[in-house]
Amino acid sequence: MSLPQKTVFVISDGTGITAETFSHSVLSQFTHAYSFKQVREPFVTTVSKMKEIIESINEIAEKDSPPIIFSTIVDQELVEHLRHSKGIFLDIFGACVNTLELSLQIRSKPTVGRSHLDASSESYHKRIEAINFTLAHDDGQFIQGLQEADVILIGVSRSGKTPTSLYLAMQHSLKVANFPLIPEDFERGQLPKTIKPFKHKLFGLSIQPERLSEIRSERRPNSQYASIEQCRHEVAESEHLMRMQGITWLSSTTKSIEEIATTVLQILKLNTKTY
């Protein structure tokens, strides 16, 4: 039996990433009863553009049911237009800002796009440097400059190191290197020599052998590399090595990249950010 569908508008004067992320978190609490069709409207900065969107909102409301609106619009004139639409309006910024103004006893200074980094800011350049560093140090391909790394992820091939590294670089401006653990490391019972001096920066990823075999089979079907026997051997050996070396690790099998990254930040105490 199919679920009834609700239309969801995600409206922003910027990229819409904040509103979209918030909407996903909230709507996930109702997916047992509804399916949601998202309409994304970024870079809404003029009344004419807003009126076009409101026409669509009202049309859907009249034909079906009032759509849900998640908004991070700052301009109060545009916000007022949305308030008078026929949708279910959720003003994400407004609700938080109003409460903070009362608590801090100071008026906010609304600025479009302030939640995102300016391309000329120091924070933005730091993010770009982190991304470049992380790309260069993917899969152990470049071993110079590891002293600059904030985190070094280790684990068997295809355990989730690369996507986690890139997420940490893009979302948290961290310089991340990652190294594969290979059969030679297991035979020696030692970490790769290049990362031994940076043991305090290491964090390990593991994965269930069955899932690892599926992932590897997509890349190299019917290979020894993807066989369940090989995957079981590598996973068991890598976990043994990490335990022996006292390295914190987790299984990526059922965790999202966001969950893995958050765990890394907490355990390595890298979750401090200044605005």
Side-chain angles (χ1 to χ4, degrees):
M1 181 179 175
S2 60
L3 297 173
Q5 187 179 79
K6 292 282 286 185
T7 301
V8 178
F9 281 80
V10 176
I11 306 174
S12 174
D13 45 30
T15 62
I17 293 173
T18 301
E20 183 173 22
T21 302
F22 184 84
S23 71
H24 287 174
S25 297
V26 173
L27 295 177
S28 67
Q29 310 303 309
F30 301 93
T31 52
H32 63 287
Y34 287 94
S35 65
F36 297 100
K37 176 186 176 183
Q38 179 181 285
V39 179
R40 214 175 147 190
E41 297 286 358
F43 307 117
V44 180
T45 58
T46 65
V47 172
S48 59
K49 177 63 177 176
M50 181 61 80
K51 286 183 176 180
E52 289 179 14
I53 296 169
I54 290 173
E55 284 183 15
S56 298
I57 291 171
N58 292 345
E59 184 177 340
I60 292 171
E62 291 170 3
K63 288 183 177 179
D64 188 8
S65 63
I68 301 167
I69 305 166
F70 288 90
S71 166
T72 52
I73 294 289
V74 171
D75 187 298
Q76 286 305 300
E77 182 182 3
L78 300 181
V79 170
E80 284 306 309
H81 281 285
L82 267 181
R83 288 190 191 283
H84 290 90
S85 73
K86 295 181 180 179
I88 303 168
F89 178 51
L90 301 173
D91 184 3
I92 299 171
F93 276 4
C96 296
V97 168
N98 292 341
T99 300
L100 282 175
E101 284 181 336
L102 291 172
S103 299
L104 300 176
Q105 296 184 341
I106 188 173
R107 296 288 294 177
S108 62
K109 291 185 177 179
T111 302
V112 174
R114 181 170 282 178
S115 63
H116 301 286
L117 296 178
D118 187 292
S120 62
S121 69
E122 182 180 346
S123 296
Y124 184 81
H125 286 300
K126 183 180 178 182
R127 178 190 289 179
I128 296 301
E129 285 180 8
I131 294 171
N132 287 334
F133 179 95
T134 301
L135 289 171
H137 292 81
D138 181 44
D139 209 28
Q141 62 184 333
F142 189 64
I143 62 174
Q144 303 302 317
L146 287 178
Q147 67 277 6
E148 297 180 27
D150 296 301
V151 187
I152 301 174
L153 299 180
I154 61 173
V156 298
S157 172
R158 314 306 287 181
S159 58
K161 300 184 301 299
T162 295
T164 302
S165 296
L166 289 173
Y167 181 88
L168 285 167
M170 296 177 71
Q171 296 297 321
H172 298 281
S173 300
L174 294 177
K175 292 181 178 179
V176 187
N178 72 76
F179 275 76
L181 294 177
I182 58 178
E184 287 79 359
D185 299 321
F186 308 144
E187 291 172 10
R188 291 192 303 268
Q190 296 289 332
L191 294 169
K193 290 182 180 180
T194 51
I195 61 175
K196 270 188 178 182
F198 310 104
K199 191 174 177 180
H200 61 290
K201 298 182 179 183
L202 300 184
F203 192 96
L205 296 184
S206 188
I207 187 171
Q208 288 180 356
E210 294 76 14
R211 179 56 183 149
L212 181 61
S213 179
E214 291 176 5
I215 294 171
R216 288 183 172 184
S217 292
E218 294 174 1
R219 189 176 186 185
R220 298 184 196 171
N222 304 314
S223 64
Q224 175 64 22
Y225 168 77
S227 69
I228 187 62
E229 294 80 9
Q230 182 66 25
C231 292
R232 284 173 179 160
H233 170 72
E234 289 188 31
V235 168
E237 290 295 325
S238 69
E239 291 180 359
H240 174 71
L241 178 59
M242 289 187 288
R243 279 194 295 266
M244 188 172 63
Q245 294 291 328
I247 296 166
T248 302
W249 58 274
L250 60 77
S251 174
S252 64
T253 309
T254 60
K255 294 186 179 298
S256 67
I257 293 172
E258 293 86 352
E259 289 176 302
I260 298 169
T262 299
T263 302
V264 171
L265 293 173
Q266 288 182 321
I267 290 177
L268 297 183
K269 302 187 185 307
L270 297 169
N271 53 356
T272 299
K273 191 170 183 178
T274 301
Y275 295 88

